Amino acid sequence: MSPSPLFRIVRAVALLAFAAYFFVPLLAMLDFSTQVRGSAPGRTWDNWQYVFTDDDFRASIVYSLLLALFTVVLMVALLVPTMVWVRLRVPRAKVLIEFLCLLPLTIPALVVVVGISNVYSWVTYLLGDSPLVLTFVYVVFVLPYAYRALDAALSSIDVATLAEAARSLGASWFTVIVRIIMPNITGGILGAAFIAVALVLGEYVAASLLHFDTLPVAMADIYRSNGPAAMAAALATMAVVSALLLGLTFLSRDRHKQGASS
């Protein structure tokens, strides 16, 4: 049954309203970022050129992208084996693991950062003062969301049967987790990665208080001295983040289609 003309009109108006709500602020940011500073009217791309030529800002982008990558890898390496092992060997501990993973939701990020600031003085002493050491605190921040995504994916498959079948054929536990369990929960892993990337690329409190120059901190510093350049940096960052998240989305869809066809 085809939709009525009234429904089509309402849908078109809703889509236009959503497009205006989403794109008008972006267009305003683009307009502001190309304005000439001062009283003389005109347009300039100097602010955009500054974003791509400033060495400090480019370094902050690289650090933030590497932080997102390392956070995803460490999060998967910690959570997936732990959750699989709990389901197979100690199912009674599932409530405790869930409580520990969801605990960061109840504690403000400011409190977490203040609490671990003394610990991070030793971390930076042992590992150096690179912003990449923020990986550890970012894993803590992303734990609640990643746990929910992975728990839903693990609940959709029979972990015990898959593990017992693989073990009966002589597979090691590493093989069971990496080659048997993880390919069947790719959607959950990609969902957790999606959230982790978005959180890491937008996190400001921990990086600022621990004095690391990540992308949000660099953008805040630019905004204090050059507003139009900060708008250009914000738009460029949004484009990069959107491209990454869209890539994860399409990768998740491809995996889902492959699983459905097989």
Side-chain angles (χ1 to χ4, degrees), residues 2-19:
S2 60
S4 63
L6 179 61
F7 176 79
R8 293 179 180 176
I9 295 174
V10 172
R11 182 175 60 182
V13 171
L15 290 175
L16 289 175
F18 173 78

Side-chain angles (χ1 to χ4, degrees), residues 184-234:
N184 286 280
I185 60 170
T186 305
I189 294 175
L190 290 176
F194 188 99
I195 298 172
V197 169
L199 186 146
V200 171
L201 295 181
E203 202 284 325
Y204 175 81
V205 175
S208 177
L209 293 179
L210 295 175
H211 307 291
F212 291 112
D213 291 329
T214 59
L215 180 58
V217 176
M219 288 177 58
D221 292 339
I222 294 174
Y223 185 76
R224 295 189 185 98
S225 58
N226 191 344
M231 292 297 104

Side-chain angles (χ1 to χ4, degrees), residues 59-245:
S60 68
I61 294 177
V62 173
Y63 279 129
S64 291
L65 292 177
L66 290 176
L67 275 172
L69 174 63
F70 293 161
T71 301
V72 170
V73 172
L74 184 58
M75 175 265 297
V76 172
L78 288 177
L79 272 185
V80 174
T82 302
M83 296 176 68
V84 171
W85 184 258
V86 167
R87 284 176 176 270
L88 295 177
R89 296 300 185 185
V90 281
R92 293 184 178 179
K94 183 176 182 296
V95 176
L96 176 61
I97 298 298
E98 182 177 5
F99 171 77
L100 293 176
C101 289
L102 298 181
L103 189 60
L105 279 179
T106 64
I107 305 175
L110 179 62
V111 176
V112 174
V113 174
V114 171
I116 66 173
S117 58
N118 292 331
V119 176
Y120 253 79
S121 62
W122 284 99
V123 173
T124 55
Y125 175 76
L126 296 174
L127 301 179
D129 58 353
S130 170
L132 297 180
V133 297
L134 284 171
T135 300
F136 303 108
V137 69
Y138 284 167
V139 169
V140 174
F141 288 160
V142 82
L143 272 181
Y145 315 103
Y147 176 85
R148 284 303 186 191
L150 294 174
D151 184 63
L154 287 172
S155 299
S156 65
I157 64 174
D158 192 344
V159 178
T161 300
L162 291 173
E164 290 175 5
R167 291 287 291 171
S168 65
L169 295 174
S172 64
W173 280 112
F174 179 83
T175 302
V176 170
I177 294 175
V178 175
R179 300 188 61 183
I180 306 299
I181 303 299
M182 290 183 64
N184 286 280
I185 60 170
T186 305
I189 294 175
L190 290 176
F194 188 99
I195 298 172
V197 169
L199 186 146
V200 171
L201 295 181
E203 202 284 325
Y204 175 81
V205 175
S208 177
L209 293 179
L210 295 175
H211 307 291
F212 291 112
D213 291 329
T214 59
L215 180 58
V217 176
M219 288 177 58
D221 292 339
I222 294 174
Y223 185 76
R224 295 189 185 98
S225 58
N226 191 344
M231 292 297 104
L235 278 176
T237 303
M238 291 175 64
V240 172
V241 174
S242 299
L244 286 174
L245 297 183

